[in-house]
Amino acid sequence: MTTTIQLEPAIALSADQFYTLCRQNPDLKFERSPQGELILMSPTGGETGIHNATLISRFVMWNEVQKLGVVFDSSTCFRLPHGGDRSPDVAWVKKERWQALAPEQQRQFPPLSPDFVLELMSPSDRLGEVQAKMREYQAAGVTLGWLINPGDRQVEIYRYDGSV
């Protein structure tokens, strides 16, 4: 489940202020929409955690064989080019794009769109909200995205050309 707080126009957080807010509250998981809304993410349950661990381990194993990029877990927040700071459940970035970032950019919230994102719905997620997040990834330049909905046994594939 997520909670969204409308900050603007009363408060507008800069990218550095958002990063500092996240660092000062390490027990909370924040995202930020392109409109500046602060999104508080709740922890997942056991079943979702098991599914997410399985998925990320498979991507890590694939990536170790292919050696084409870098895999990230759900704790990694990406600063997307059209605004917004998002943490997909699994993300992958091509090696050359990752290596093009300065060390400071790699240490903080990487200022780029992943090449691939995966969102795994938990029972408390709302489908429409996660679909909107996937469209946000598309608009930010993510090449491929998977939305996995285990409850309905459905997968939606989001492509760079805008198709689903």
Side-chain angles (χ1 to χ4, degrees), residues 53-114:
T54 300
L55 287 166
I56 198 161
S57 69
R58 290 181 179 159
F59 278 95
V60 167
M61 289 186 297
W62 169 82
N63 194 59
E64 285 179 352
V65 171
Q66 301 299 320
K67 299 182 185 341
L68 297 174
V70 185
V71 178
F72 300 89
D73 71 1
S74 62
S75 296
T76 307
C77 187
F78 292 90
R79 180 157 294 133
L80 302 178
H82 291 71
D85 298 275
R86 295 295 192 167
S87 302
D89 292 321
V90 179
W92 180 82
V93 174
K94 291 178 184 175
K95 187 186 307 182
E96 60 272 11
R97 293 183 66 229
W98 177 250
Q99 291 172 343
L101 296 176
E104 182 72 11
Q105 293 174 312
Q106 291 178 350
R107 274 191 295 280
Q108 294 188 5
F109 297 160
L112 54 74
S113 293

Side-chain angles (χ1 to χ4, degrees), residues 17-84:
Q17 289 171 322
F18 178 71
Y19 181 78
T20 301
L21 175 70
C22 293
R23 291 291 146 279
Q24 289 179 338
N25 296 279
D27 295 334
L28 299 174
K29 184 174 177 185
F30 297 109
E31 287 186 338
R32 188 167 58 150
S33 76
Q35 296 76 32
E37 301 161 321
L38 188 62
I39 303 162
L40 292 113
M41 311 292 290
S42 64
T44 63
E47 286 182 358
T48 301
I50 291 168
H51 293 305
N52 205 29
T54 300
L55 287 166
I56 198 161
S57 69
R58 290 181 179 159
F59 278 95
V60 167
M61 289 186 297
W62 169 82
N63 194 59
E64 285 179 352
V65 171
Q66 301 299 320
K67 299 182 185 341
L68 297 174
V70 185
V71 178
F72 300 89
D73 71 1
S74 62
S75 296
T76 307
C77 187
F78 292 90
R79 180 157 294 133
L80 302 178
H82 291 71

Side-chain angles (χ1 to χ4, degrees), residues 90-155:
V90 179
W92 180 82
V93 174
K94 291 178 184 175
K95 187 186 307 182
E96 60 272 11
R97 293 183 66 229
W98 177 250
Q99 291 172 343
L101 296 176
E104 182 72 11
Q105 293 174 312
Q106 291 178 350
R107 274 191 295 280
Q108 294 188 5
F109 297 160
L112 54 74
S113 293
D115 294 287
F116 170 81
V117 297
L118 183 150
E119 288 288 349
L120 175 65
M121 286 192 58
S122 63
S124 62
D125 286 334
R126 294 181 190 100
L127 180 59
E129 289 177 2
V130 183
Q131 288 171 325
K133 187 176 180 181
M134 296 301 292
R135 287 189 296 277
E136 183 182 328
Y137 289 135
Q138 276 182 314
V142 170
T143 306
L144 181 64
W146 294 352
L147 168 54
I148 299 177
N149 184 347
D152 290 343
R153 299 183 57 125
Q154 289 184 322
V155 176

